[in-house]
Amino acid sequence: MVLKLFFPQCCNTADSGLLVGRWIPGHNSAVVLAVIHYPFIPGQVKKYLSELQSQTQVDLTVLGSWSMPKEGQEGMDSFLKDLSTIFPQKCWLQLSREIGKRGFTCQVVQNNGRLLQDREQKNGEGDKIILIHYDQRKVMLSQLHPVQDVGQKSDVEASELRLVFQTVAQSQPLFFLDKYDDGPLKLSHWQSEGREASIIAELLKQASVPVCIFLTWLLSLWYWFCSFRILHLPPVLFISSKLSTCVQSVYRAVHFRTVFSPKKAGTHVEFMRKANIFVSFLVDIALGLLLISWLYRENRISKLADTLVPVADRVAKELQELLEWLMGAPAGLKMNRALDQVLGRFFLYHIHLWISYIHLMSPFIERILWYVGLSACLGLTFALSVLSDIVALLTFHIYCFYVYGARLYCLTIYGLSSLWRLFRGKKWNVLRQRVDSCSYDLDQNTADTALFPLQLFIGTLLFTILLFLLPTTALYYLVFTLLRLVVVLFQGVIHLSVDFINSFPLFAIGLRICRPYRLAEGVKFNVLCQEPGTPLHLMMEINPLKCSSVLQCYRTPTYSCYPKDSWAGLCKKLFVGELIYPWKQKTDKTD
Amino acid sequence: MRGCFLLLTPLVISMAEEEFTDINGNSISLDCQTHSDFCREFTVTSPKLSLRKVMVYTCFVWLFAYAVFFFTENTAVLSSAIILTLAGMMIHIHFVKVDHETLLIIGSLGVQLSSSYASGRESTIFIEMNKLKDIVINEAVYMHSIIYYLCILIKDPADPETVTSVVPLFQSSNPRLNCLVQVYRSCQEILAQSR
């Protein structure tokens, strides 16, 4: 079996001393975390290690001895060998390095005193040793993907590398003692040259707790406001579930609560989620403020409001012309005169009502828009949701026409299909939800399932009527469905961009670009130069996660689902006349 | 930086370089380095980017652009042709053209696959030994030919008998069977030791 030793790069030039680390359970390997220098008192070393063990939940032990003799320090070797009796171990490692040589030599002494040397056995017996050098600071800060919970798998099943990373990450308290501390022990690790800290970061950490508490209190005020009975009436609930602004505000409130909760993030996933949401908030608000400054600079918003009513008028006029065209002979088709006139006049009256309504509102539009525009300070996503809602309100008449046309067409199609089944002698069995055959038997016993000639006659009449009225209803349905699809498409584009801003993990991508070692997909090994008589030396580097994996892993889940009908399902619904809502949002009930 | 080691100096135990051909007839070379009893590295080097081909493509594109310019008298055609050629070349050497592929096998630690592109970019995957079931040579029927390829069988440590996925090696250089057999034999020696 091969013994694998993970050795930190910072200890390559450390003075002689004891190796402190952990034996990885289940694999024949060990991680060296620090070197304790001479002089030391063994009792204090043991006390310190047991303190750290209780603090970090990592079973730190003395692994062996490290010797890098400087001038005037000969004779350490025998002293080092005697140390193995003071710290009883299953396996005692003796690493040594000479100045001027690059390779280490390593000897492993088992408990029963048997000395195992590496690479000296001719017949291939005995342990071989691999020394793997790693950058301690990077491995400590790094997180291996796919992320697993700490207590999820038992240590034996977890992979060796994952255990090494976990060990180094959990041993942070070991790295707090540096060479300027006046304690009894002198350690060598990545921070032993002196701990670095930034005043700004410390001040921000201290200030963040009261700020979080204050913001959480504000949020609780908002929730208290939203819990008023008057806001829970069914009509209000219905409208607020349809308006995308309300949905977006609820979603952002949940985010706000997550980010500004005073509790510190425990796991890596929670921390990344908080950081991503926080950065997304900042970017959102910054873009919103930019939009406000652009809109209000040259009084553009008043100009926008002034063009809104003429645009609505223009749309209504175009619709009127369209209906006049349909009432004539559209595209050379011959319509049923009576039905055409009825439907056309019905829709024209609706448009007339709509134009009057818009003209009624026109004096107030500018003021309303001015104040609504200010809501963009809550974020660009809010401004886009408000835009989507305004478009929905302004094209409400198109939506109504679509519903009327679709219902009429749907009725026609169902009637036709049912009567067509009648001719073929079949009937829809409601109980069994299937098509059953029906006989023309006039027997008394089966009277309820038989078809009388009268039924057949009326059925024929109705079928003929519906069939000849079909082109007219179909044409109206087609025209209004196309208009509705245009509006839906525009709203869909807005929703997609809101969704993109909501869910894009900016912090994770920034971390991947600036500190690629933090998000690790795996490791890379490089073989270091060999000298005969030394074990194999490898250099372990962190292989960063690919950008596409970062996006997939850290995407914030959003409320909107993409169209759940496939193209084929959508076409079928359009053909039959069912109402389509391709951008329906997820509610809790359907999850 | 304290304690920096020199990477990959010529002081290795033994190395051997041989010429082989790939499945299309181009000549490739295989380089075996034995770092230790249980650590070996195989590098398959593909033929380099041929200067003649690059010149031919560039001249073709630019002549075509000149012809279009002659008819339309629009200089945007010329500048777009230049930009297109440059962008295409950069994309090709950075993402498409593989210079050499390396297989590093370390007994009882794992296997590392690395592809190095013409621009110097390296993409590396490391597979741990407990996930590795075996290294085998598979044959694939592609159109009218049968291709041999070396692949790694991956298993889930919780369920050692099932093969969860297959990772093919040397996908860009496609060496022939004689080269693969040499790599296979070496790898099996090391895997047998660590079982």
Side-chain angles (χ1 to χ4, degrees):
Chain A
M1 273 298 284
V2 181
L3 175 69
K4 287 157 272 190
L5 204 57
F6 290 84
F7 195 77
Q9 269 185 305
C10 45
C11 296
N12 279 346
T13 49
D15 290 335
S16 313
L18 283 177
L19 293 170
V20 167
R22 180 192 185 204
W23 286 98
I24 308 279
H27 302 94
N28 195 17
S29 45
V31 180
V32 174
L33 292 168
V35 176
I36 300 182
H37 298 300
Y38 305 116
F40 59 81
I41 301 174
Q44 278 178 342
V45 170
K46 288 185 193 169
K47 194 174 85 152
Y48 179 65
L49 284 182
S50 62
E51 262 172 30
L52 276 177
Q53 217 167 328
S54 55
Q55 210 178 350
T56 61
Q57 320 296 330
V58 174
D59 41 347
L60 296 168
T61 52
V62 175
L63 296 172
S65 67
W66 162 252
S67 101
M68 182 151 136
K70 299 205 157 60
E71 291 89 35
Q73 273 190 352
E74 292 87 3
M76 278 289 210
D77 286 353
S78 55
F79 173 59
L80 293 170
K81 283 199 187 71
D82 295 334
L83 278 174
S84 62
T85 52
I86 306 176
F87 298 100
Q89 297 296 329
K90 192 175 50 134
C91 233
W92 182 259
L93 302 166
Q94 287 173 350
L95 283 174
S96 64
R97 183 182 175 194
E98 287 163 43
I99 304 181
K101 278 199 175 176
R102 286 190 199 273
F104 302 172
T105 53
C106 181
Q107 290 175 343
V108 182
V109 181
Q110 291 267 5
N111 204 5
N112 50 10
R114 195 160 61 99
L115 186 74
L116 295 153
Q117 288 190 346
D118 87 306
R119 300 185 50 78
E120 297 300 329
Q121 311 284 348
K122 291 287 182 244
N123 49 2
E125 269 180 31
D127 277 6
K128 302 183 187 121
I129 304 177
I130 306 180
L131 265 161
I132 302 173
H133 297 260
Y134 69 97
D135 186 330
Q136 203 166 44
R137 178 175 162 263
K138 287 191 179 166
V139 169
M140 187 184 83
L141 291 172
S142 162
Q143 169 68 41
L144 266 184
H145 290 78
V147 181
Q148 283 170 357
D149 284 331
V150 175
Q152 206 176 30
K153 282 193 172 176
S154 69
D155 277 343
V156 182
E157 274 182 18
S159 77
E160 191 173 8
L161 286 172
R162 204 170 272 276
L163 286 170
V164 168
F165 274 67
Q166 259 173 27
T167 308
V168 181
Q170 281 174 334
S171 314
Q172 282 213 19
L174 179 64
F175 307 132
F176 287 167
L177 274 183
D178 60 14
K179 73 182 187 192
Y180 301 106
D181 277 323
D182 279 329
L185 295 172
K186 291 261 174 282
L187 288 166
S188 224
H189 46 74
W190 72 270
Q191 252 187 351
S192 57
E193 290 296 310
R195 279 176 71 191
E196 284 177 8
S198 147
I199 293 183
I200 298 178
E202 294 298 316
L203 281 175
L204 278 176
K205 272 191 213 165
Q206 296 295 325
S208 67
V209 175
V211 167
C212 283
I213 294 179
F214 174 65
L215 288 170
T216 320
W217 176 76
L218 277 181
L219 193 71
S220 62
L221 272 184
W222 167 255
Y223 276 131
W224 170 77
F225 175 71
C226 286
S227 67
F228 282 165
R229 287 294 300 274
I230 196 166
L231 291 174
H232 282 266
L233 291 175
V236 181
L237 277 179
F238 177 71
I239 293 177
S240 64
S241 71
K242 293 286 172 218
L243 283 178
S244 57
T245 317
C246 297
V247 177
Q248 173 74 8
S249 64
V250 164
Y251 178 68
R252 274 306 199 201
V254 171
H255 275 183
F256 202 77
R257 189 167 52 179
T258 320
V259 170
F260 290 111
S261 74
K263 199 165 71 83
K264 202 166 140 66
T267 63
H268 171 84
V269 173
E270 274 173 33
F271 168 70
M272 292 297 284
R273 175 76 53 90
K274 266 193 167 185
N276 279 329
I277 294 176
F278 184 65
V279 173
S280 146
F281 250 127
L282 285 180
V283 167
D284 201 10
I285 292 179
L287 287 175
L289 289 173
L290 225 85
L291 182 69
I292 284 183
S293 76
W294 179 80
L295 269 181
Y296 287 83
R297 185 158 329 148
E298 285 156 25
N299 217 7
R300 282 206 185 96
I301 196 141
S302 310
K303 289 188 203 151
L304 208 72
D306 286 337
T307 58
L308 207 64
V309 173
V311 161
D313 262 346
R314 176 86 192 285
V315 167
K317 206 168 278 311
E318 294 284 334
L319 268 179
Q320 267 179 334
E321 282 177 24
L322 183 73
L323 282 167
E324 303 280 345
W325 179 67
L326 284 176
M327 276 162 73
L333 297 168
K334 188 169 187 310
M335 300 278 108
N336 181 295
R337 172 74 42 184
L339 185 63
D340 214 359
Q341 295 285 322
V342 162
L343 286 176
R345 291 224 182 102
F346 178 64
F347 290 132
L348 277 173
Y349 182 62
H350 265 88
I351 293 181
H352 171 75
L353 277 177
W354 186 256
I355 290 186
S356 338
Y357 168 68
I358 294 271
H359 281 233
L360 203 71
M361 291 276 293
S362 59
F364 308 110
I365 292 261
E366 193 189 326
R367 275 290 109 187
I368 293 176
L369 213 63
W370 203 91
Y371 287 115
V372 159
L374 279 182
S375 76
C377 73
L378 290 168
L380 186 67
T381 47
F382 255 87
L384 287 174
S385 312
V386 164
L387 178 68
S388 162
D389 285 334
I390 289 177
V391 164
L393 283 174
L394 284 180
T395 57
F396 189 64
H397 48 337
I398 295 181
Y399 173 65
C400 283
F401 291 169
Y402 164 70
V403 173
Y404 298 149
R407 285 271 179 253
L408 205 62
Y409 178 75
C410 185
L411 277 172
T412 319
I413 291 285
Y414 272 124
L416 278 173
S417 58
S418 165
L419 291 169
W420 175 246
R421 278 195 293 268
L422 183 80
F423 289 154
R424 288 161 57 219
K426 297 199 187 299
K427 208 171 89 148
W428 176 254
N429 190 339
V430 183
L431 209 61
R432 298 279 181 94
Q433 294 287 312
R434 65 167 187 212
V435 178
D436 275 344
S437 67
C438 233
S439 65
Y440 285 97
D441 202 354
L442 284 167
D443 193 10
Q444 270 316 102
N445 292 345
T446 56
D448 48 4
T449 57
L451 287 172
F452 295 105
L454 190 61
Q455 276 183 329
L456 214 53
F457 176 59
I458 294 182
T460 318
L461 270 181
L462 283 174
F463 183 79
T464 323
I465 294 173
L466 282 176
L467 188 66
F468 287 133
L469 288 180
L470 185 65
T472 315
T473 48
L475 191 71
Y476 272 92
Y477 172 67
L478 186 72
V479 167
F480 292 132
T481 308
L482 285 174
L483 284 174
R484 172 80 185 137
L485 282 177
V486 165
V487 173
V488 160
L489 211 70
F490 181 68
Q491 276 192 309
V493 166
I494 294 183
H495 281 179
L496 275 178
S497 46
V498 166
D499 196 37
F500 177 73
I501 299 179
N502 275 340
S503 70
F504 191 71
L506 257 179
F507 180 74
I509 295 281
L511 203 64
R512 166 68 182 85
I513 293 175
C514 303
R515 303 257 186 274
Y517 57 83
R518 294 281 300 260
L519 304 169
E521 191 179 26
V523 293
K524 281 192 277 218
F525 287 100
N526 272 326
V527 181
L528 300 174
C529 70
Q530 293 286 92
E531 280 164 11
T534 58
L536 182 66
H537 287 263
L538 296 173
M539 174 75 193
M540 182 171 94
E541 278 163 0
I542 295 183
N543 203 8
L545 203 57
K546 283 196 278 277
C547 284
S548 52
S549 313
V550 172
L551 279 177
Q552 203 179 6
C553 201
Y554 290 109
R555 232 180 123 254
T556 323
T558 56
Y559 54 81
S560 81
C561 56
Y562 294 99
K564 51 185 184 318
D565 300 318
S566 61
W567 287 110
L570 198 69
C571 288
K572 181 173 174 293
K573 277 193 176 172
L574 283 175
F575 185 70
V576 169
E578 267 180 51
L579 291 174
I580 49 171
Y581 296 100
W583 307 101
K584 205 174 188 66
Q585 280 145 7
K586 258 195 260 203
T587 57
D588 289 298
K589 293 190 199 107
T590 58
D591 269 2
Chain B
M1 201 163 115
R2 288 177 283 153
C4 263
F5 277 80
L6 244 175
L7 298 174
L8 286 171
T9 62
L11 261 157
V12 290
I13 306 290
S14 70
M15 52 184 281
E17 186 155 336
E18 291 164 51
E19 293 287 325
F20 290 96
T21 54
D22 74 356
I23 54 176
N24 296 321
N26 306 320
S27 101
I28 58 175
S29 70
L30 171 71
D31 177 17
C32 303
Q33 285 179 356
T34 309
H35 298 289
S36 116
D37 281 349
F38 47 87
C39 177
R40 287 197 196 145
E41 187 169 1
F42 306 97
T43 310
V44 174
T45 317
S46 308
K48 305 273 188 237
L49 202 58
S50 139
L51 198 62
R52 200 162 52 133
K53 256 195 197 170
V54 170
M55 300 280 287
V56 163
Y57 277 137
T58 320
C59 291
F60 187 68
V61 169
W62 285 356
L63 279 174
F64 180 69
Y66 267 118
V68 173
F69 172 68
F70 182 72
F71 286 115
T72 60
E73 303 287 332
N74 189 1
T75 50
V77 170
L78 293 176
S79 31
S80 64
I82 293 177
I83 292 173
L84 217 74
T85 323
L86 279 176
M89 200 135 51
M90 290 206 296
I91 289 176
H92 185 77
I93 60 174
H94 196 72
F95 292 108
V96 175
K97 179 82 185 101
V98 169
D99 188 46
H100 57 262
E101 289 172 299
T102 313
L103 171 71
L104 171 69
I105 177 161
I106 309 169
S108 85
L109 192 61
V111 172
Q112 174 169 292
L113 316 168
S114 153
S115 300
S116 169
Y117 292 85
S119 63
R121 176 173 86 101
E122 283 208 20
S123 106
T124 320
I125 307 172
F126 180 74
I127 301 168
E128 294 185 66
M129 203 47 104
N130 61 352
K131 287 211 178 73
L132 191 143
K133 187 161 196 277
D134 205 356
I135 299 184
V136 294
I137 299 184
N138 257 350
E139 51 185 22
V141 180
Y142 180 69
M143 302 269 226
H144 50 270
S145 51
I146 298 181
I147 303 175
Y148 294 97
Y149 62 97
L150 194 65
C151 61
I152 298 182
L153 303 177
I154 310 275
K155 68 170 196 249
D156 187 14
D159 185 11
E161 295 308 314
T162 357
V163 175
T164 52
S165 60
V166 169
V167 177
L169 306 176
F170 304 127
Q171 285 291 88
S172 311
S173 15
N174 290 317
R176 286 201 177 171
L177 191 59
N178 44 5
C179 176
L180 292 178
V181 164
Q182 206 169 345
V183 177
Y184 172 79
R185 287 214 180 105
S186 270
C187 290
Q188 289 295 336
E189 277 170 23
I190 295 187
L191 286 181
Q193 281 177 10
S194 61
R195 286 227 176 91

